[in-house]
Amino acid sequence: MGATVLSNPEPLEPGKRYKVEIPLNGVAQGFPAGHRLRLSVSTSFWPLAWPAPEPAMVTVFTGPSTLKLPVRRPRPEEEAALREFGPAEAAEELEADAGSARSGLI
């Protein structure tokens, strides 16, 4: 398995396996026990960047793959001093039907 560093990019060899570590930005999300998290892999940064001019294919070997997430333990003494978030300033209100997978903007 080869490794590529973003500061010194090199073309990838088709069919060769590469070990990739991608640091994610902290987003301070909480997930209740039993819930799932979806990780999407893409060949482009669409819609922030145009897709590659040529088709590309990515194969992820999930057997040896890992997703490491930080765990923040509850700190009641600090959380008591936090203020509540106000209403959303720019997002439209979302209506979800708990009986189905349907949702939409109100």
Side-chain angles (χ1 to χ4, degrees):
M1 253 187 258
T4 300
V5 180
L6 291 177
S7 61
N8 186 23
E10 299 174 11
L12 300 178
E13 181 182 325
K16 182 177 178 181
R17 290 186 183 196
Y18 293 87
K19 179 180 179 180
V20 180
E21 292 185 18
I22 304 170
L24 302 175
N25 296 332
V27 294
Q29 294 289 331
F31 302 100
H35 282 227
R36 297 179 185 184
L37 181 65
R38 176 182 167 177
L39 177 65
S40 296
V41 178
S42 174
T43 60
S44 71
F45 201 40
W46 179 261
L48 302 176
W50 286 103
E54 300 171 4
M57 184 174 69
V58 173
T59 302
V60 177
F61 296 93
T62 57
S65 299
T66 60
L67 176 62
K68 297 177 183 177
L69 299 173
V71 176
R72 179 187 177 274
R73 301 288 176 217
R75 297 184 289 227
E77 64 284 348
E78 293 177 20
E79 293 167 5
L82 296 175
R83 65 178 177 82
E84 292 290 325
F85 282 111
E89 296 177 8
E92 297 181 49
E93 189 174 345
L94 184 67
E95 180 180 82
D97 180 359
S100 71
R102 297 175 49 128
S103 63
L105 296 176
I106 295 177

